[in-house]
Amino acid sequence: MFSLLLEFPRNAILVGLLGTVLIGAKYAKWSSQRKAGLKSKDDAFSLFEALILTINERVKAWRFLLKGPTLIADAYKKANGAPFLIDVPENRYHFVSTWTHIGEINAVPDTVLSLTAAAKEILQPQYTMHKFDWDISRGRDSVPLNRTLRTYLTNHLPNLIPKLRRHLRVIFDRHIQAGPLKNGMKRTQTYLRSDFSTYDFRLGFRSPKLFPMLVESIAHSNIMSFFGEDLVQDPEFIKAGVGFIENTLIISEVVRVLPRMIAPAVGRFLSRTFNSQTIIFDTLIPIVELRLEERARKKQGHDVPEHHDCIQWIINGTTRPWAAERVVHELIALWFGSVHITSTTACFVLHDLCLHPEYIPLIRKDIERSGWESFDQSKGQEFPLLDSFMKESSRLNPVEAMSTRRIALKPFELSGGHQVPVGEWVCTAPGAMHRDPAYWAKALEFHGFRFVEPTLYKAILSATEFEIPEPGKESAFNEVLDWQLWGTGRNACSGRFYATALAKTMLALLIMNYDMKLADHKRSKHSFTWRSFIYPYASTPILLKPRSVTF
Ligand code: HEM
């Protein structure tokens, strides 16, 4: 199921080979064009120099695929606050690293700098999302989805979180019990829990496949939140939903690096070969059509069933109803943007919990102090120590080394005179910014309670050894103003309240109900990078053992 994650290096080699062929082809064309005009030895020498330079630049651009975060971090240091350029195989990125420049990006409309154009280049939705052809500047078209997530889904969290929690407990128990036993007794003995799932607390640590467990948990939760509870019972849909993420990454990567002449044909071929997008589309269409019918019947005064999910909120949010196909396209894009990044973020927090186990007892106490009911009512804001720990983990290990991506649809100039030509990208470097001592005291050190409020610090932490490196940095995980995890301004992630509540629910369940440790500290950051993304391997070796209490 997670073949992509395991086979990614192989795919990278394939793309690398493709790149070499392309560079060769481009050079042959370039060289033959110039031979005609070659007159002297000097010309031949300049040609040779130019060729070496071009090859150097191209090799560097292709290196971005395998070493993106390192290249960005190195260039960030050299630039010392100024905008800097990084070439990638198919484009040029202009990175900014000051909050003034970030503010300037946010100040222009999306007819000048567009997130949706950048997303279109990354995801190639015409091949990956059932021919979704979204506008490169969406204007008010983005309102129904963003309002759905930012307002309706967030306000629904007190009802939703307890339901999600019930499902998550069952999924965790199933995965953890299925993991190989690493120590303890050989014979399995199971106990019935109050919620009718079983677990086996007499036995030792088990080694489940952590990342697949987290992806499945988030996929289930998102199905319930976006499409309603019925689809959770549909294994084919869930399989397609998880496979869709891998398929999208493969198809879009291949299409992006191929020459424009052949990319569409290959894209169409891959689109037919990997059919998860079709399964998702075909499953969702009748559901959305029924909802549109219900909307029409309701307008005529008929009684219709009530639904509390994203399908319904998107439909309700449009004044002139969108066609079913249009609603489904929005949902497919939402699915891609929400499953993968949330599971990866939660996975890295779990690694950090194992690397810094001294934080766990205090985080447990704090979770007990608040309790689930207060957490649910706070829409996932509670558990401040866990919140701060998550933020410190993602500050040092954001799963994305780039954020606030925009394509220039018109020429754009930053203060100081840096120009961004049409078609090129402007973006930020969260990985590098988050480690910059200009923004953070003791920037490279992990301080899990860095973001805790002073009053809470006095009440709970002052008698402990834990340090807060700098006063005045208290801030929530879902805050956008002091870091780049969620992007910028009006385009900042509208799903961040839901994402935070879900990730925190999962982490709190695992922290409270299991003891955890890394099987092998040397392999703790068992991750690889592709472009600017950082992925955990599917089989990261974390050991979990049920505790004798259930929370
Ligand atoms: C830890 C998990 C997540 C992270 C780190 C994250 C991060 C981001 C980032 C960096 C952006 C781009 C913002 C910009 O360029 O200014 C974004 C946009 C977006 N995210 Fe998330 N996201 C997460 C989870 C989610 C979830 C769970 C949902 C849905 C429930 C979601 C929905 C969206 C949407 C709809 C946008 C586009 C906003 C727009 O077009 O204005 N995200 N996210």
Side-chain angles (χ1 to χ4, degrees), residues 146 149 334 338 341-342 345 404 406 485-488 491 493-494:
N146 282 337
L149 301 176
L334 175 63
S338 59
I341 196 161
T342 315
T345 301
T404 306
R406 311 283 184 262
L485 189 82
W486 308 106
T488 300
N491 282 126
C493 177
S494 45

Side-chain angles (χ1 to χ4, degrees), residues 63 144 183 198 205 212 227 242 271 299 314 321 403 408 423 510 526 537:
R63 274 178 65 212
N183 56 23
T198 55
F205 281 93
F227 316 131
V242 174
S271 180
K299 279 210 158 146
I314 292 175
S403 186
L510 290 170
H526 204 46
Y537 274 111

Side-chain angles (χ1 to χ4, degrees), residues 115-116 138 142 145-146 149 153 218 222 226 310 334-335 337-343 345-346 394 399-400 402-406 477 484-496 498-500 502-503:
L115 165 63
T116 37
R138 300 211 324 153
S142 58
L145 178 63
N146 282 337
L149 301 176
L153 181 58
I218 288 177
N222 288 4
F226 301 171
C310 292
L334 175 63
W335 179 261
S338 59
V339 175
H340 160 256
I341 196 161
T342 315
S343 28
T345 301
S394 298
V399 298
E400 262 277 17
M402 286 171 73
S403 186
T404 306
R405 298 170 164 89
R406 311 283 184 262
F477 184 72
Q484 274 289 296
L485 189 82
W486 308 106
T488 300
R490 66 176 183 283
N491 282 126
C493 177
S494 45
R496 65 187 183 277
Y498 168 77
T500 304
L502 174 56

